[in-house]
């Protein structure tokens, strides 16, 4: 026996907090005026629930792998059947291009439906032709009605793509397309469809200027995987990052180059994120770990005199608070006064680094700029730096050393705690700089 009763609830459009009472300020995320009234169907169910023994056998579902190896890796080693993936990114980032390419790659294995609420079929076809991704089993349509789509599926799909979640709607609701309740309801239907049909569903989501998925954060909770496509709009470089994955590790990244003929996978990103021949003032190389891969990167610092106002400290691709701390360490342990200097820090290539192993390279870059000296070429720095000026070792050092060797680096300055041939172990920032400059082992 099933009784369904509608009731009104209020949901925070920022974080998804639910309440029966209206609120001006969300008690969870503390944002103002984010309460949105929605109708929630309350199901009063008294039917029998089937429990399964944990020793029951199941068919282990095989992941689908494609010719787009980088995309497969970000998904956790291929696409899990029946999963729901949200791909979010800013305007013009290349979301439609990337998913059309991926849909085409998947369509070698079965039917893939690509639904666009933003482009007409001729527009989609011209993109397909430009990218050279025609496939018999890649089916395109232009509609905004999710119900029409689900009712029209004749050939069993392996995947569906909805471009975008903000432009599709489901009937039977009084809410506008793009509103929180519409997106929520559409997502509920798509999740249900994916779990019952075992087809995977991709949803494209637009991102606001502040970097949030336009609309509710709650979408992120409802789906299995969330991928962000980011990059600088002027450069062609794009980074696809998994920020949530129920079926794989997060922090995996894939790097692409946006070209006329589509998004080209860069399977060896170290070559574009670091310029190891550069012996410019203010440059330092490091090896970071992103997901299951190590990458060589280049950190650049610039320090300029400022005697008039409070000095500026700006970091791009690196946490500002951490830059402040490392700046203080440089002043304190390397006896370089940065008090009357502006400090700018940049991680080359639009990468955002949270790996603590990059600390020592940041210190080296700051020192190089402030002292107007350069380090010998092919020297890299890896280590976390504490407030005591001591260098601590970081995770996955073996992987970093292997990457340094592969990239032909000559010296790797690391914490003395990590012992290995061909690396230079140091205890303090002072020792690290001295050894890097002298070339001593
Ligand atoms: N004919 C073309 N030749 C070369 N590049 C093109 C062409 N058409 C589009 N592009 C490139 O593709 C990019 C847009 O890609 P795409 O439409 O996949 O982005 P999107 O993230 O889906 O954008 P939106 O948010 O508008 O849906 C543009 O920035 C442009 O550089
Ligand atoms: Mg698009």
């Amino acid at each position: 026996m099933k009784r369904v009763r509608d009731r009104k609830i209020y949901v925070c459009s920022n974080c998804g907090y639910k309440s029966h009472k209206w609120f001006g300020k969300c008690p969870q995320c503390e944002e103002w005026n984010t309460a949105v009234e929605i109708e929630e169907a309350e199901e009063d169910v008294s039917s029998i629930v089937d429990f399964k023994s944990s020793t029951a056998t199941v068919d282990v579902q095989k992941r689908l792998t494609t010719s787009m190896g980088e995309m497969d890796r970000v998904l956790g080693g291929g696409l899990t059947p029946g999963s729901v993936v949200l791909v979010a990114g800013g305007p013009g980032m290349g979301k439609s291009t990337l998913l059309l390419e991926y849909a085409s790659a998947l369509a070698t294995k079965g039917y893939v439906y690509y639904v666009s609420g933003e482009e007409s079929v001729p527009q989609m076809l011209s993109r397909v032709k430009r990218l050279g991704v025609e496939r018999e089993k890649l089916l395109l349509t232009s509609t905004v009605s999710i119900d029409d789509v689900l009712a029209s599926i004749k050939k069993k799909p392996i995947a569906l793509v909805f471009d975008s979640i903000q432009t599709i709607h489901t009937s039977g609701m009084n809410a506008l397309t793009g509103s929180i309740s519409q997106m929520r309801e559409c997502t509920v239907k798509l999740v249900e469809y994916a779990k019952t049909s075992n087809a995977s569903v991709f949803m494209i989501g637009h991102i606001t200027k502040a970097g949030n998925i336009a609309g509710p954060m709650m979408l992120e909770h409802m789906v299995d995987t969330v991928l962000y496509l980011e990059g600088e709009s002027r450069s062609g470089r794009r980074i696809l990052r998994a920020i949530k994955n129920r079926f794989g590790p997060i922090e995996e990244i894939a790097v692409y180059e946006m070209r006329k003929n589509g998004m080209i996978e860069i399977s060896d990103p170290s070559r574009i994120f670091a310029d190891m021949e550069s012996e410019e003032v203010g440059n330092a190389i490091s090896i970071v770990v992103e997901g299951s891969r190590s990458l060589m990167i280049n950190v650049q610092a610039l320090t300029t005199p400022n005697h008039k106002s409070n000095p500026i400290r700006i970091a791009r691709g690196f946490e500002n608070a951490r830059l402040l701390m490392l700046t203080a360490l440089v002043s304190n342990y390397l006896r370089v006064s940065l008090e009357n200097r502006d400090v700018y820090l940049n991680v080359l290539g639009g990468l955002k680094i949270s790996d603590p192993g990059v600390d020592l390279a940041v210190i080296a870059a700051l020192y190089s700029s402030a002292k107007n000296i350069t380090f010998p070429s092919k020297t890299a720095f890896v280590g976390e730096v504490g407030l005591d000026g001591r260098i601590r070792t970081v995770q996955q050092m073996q992987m970093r050393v292997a990457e340094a060797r592969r990239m032909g680096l000559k010296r790797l300055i690391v914490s003395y705690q990590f012992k290995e041939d061909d690396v230079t172990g140091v205890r303090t920032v002072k020792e690290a700089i001295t050894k890097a400059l002298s070339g001593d082992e």
Side-chain angles (χ1 to χ4, degrees), residues 193-210:
Y193 178 79
K195 302 299 166 198
T196 50
S197 71
N198 220 20
S200 294
V201 172
F202 286 82
M203 306 186 304
I204 290 180
H206 295 290
I207 275 188
T208 60
K209 278 220 172 80

Side-chain angles (χ1 to χ4, degrees), residues 96 118-119 163:
S96 307
E118 303 187 342
E119 291 170 56
D163 187 357

Side-chain angles (χ1 to χ4, degrees), residues 81-107:
S83 60
V84 181
V85 182
L86 175 67
V87 180
M93 249 330 127
K95 303 177 292 295
S96 307
T97 308
L98 182 67
L99 279 189
L100 198 57
E101 287 179 9
Y102 186 60
S104 166
L106 278 175

Side-chain angles (χ1 to χ4, degrees), residues 107-173:
T108 56
K109 317 226 161 208
Y111 282 94
V112 180
Y113 292 70
Y114 193 107
V115 182
S116 180
E118 303 187 342
E119 291 170 56
S120 66
V121 172
Q123 282 170 336
M124 292 162 81
L125 281 173
S126 83
R127 189 197 292 262
V128 164
K129 300 274 180 307
R130 173 164 62 86
L131 303 175
V133 293
E134 301 100 320
R135 290 244 185 258
E136 212 182 308
K137 291 187 177 169
L138 173 59
L139 310 176
L140 312 171
T141 190
S142 173
T143 176
V144 292
S145 166
I146 168 179
D147 308 295
D148 290 354
V149 170
L150 296 183
S152 317
I153 291 173
K154 293 195 183 77
K155 306 229 163 68
K156 188 177 162 45
I158 53 168
L160 288 95
V161 180
F162 288 87
D163 187 357
S164 62
I165 186 71
Q166 278 96 356
T167 53
I168 55 169
H169 75 250
T170 177
S171 55
M173 280 195 85

Side-chain angles (χ1 to χ4, degrees), residues 17-30:
Y17 171 80
K18 286 182 192 169
S19 166
H20 294 288
K21 281 195 201 137
W22 185 86
F23 50 88
K25 182 183 175 186
C26 171
Q28 189 165 288
C29 69
E30 303 194 335

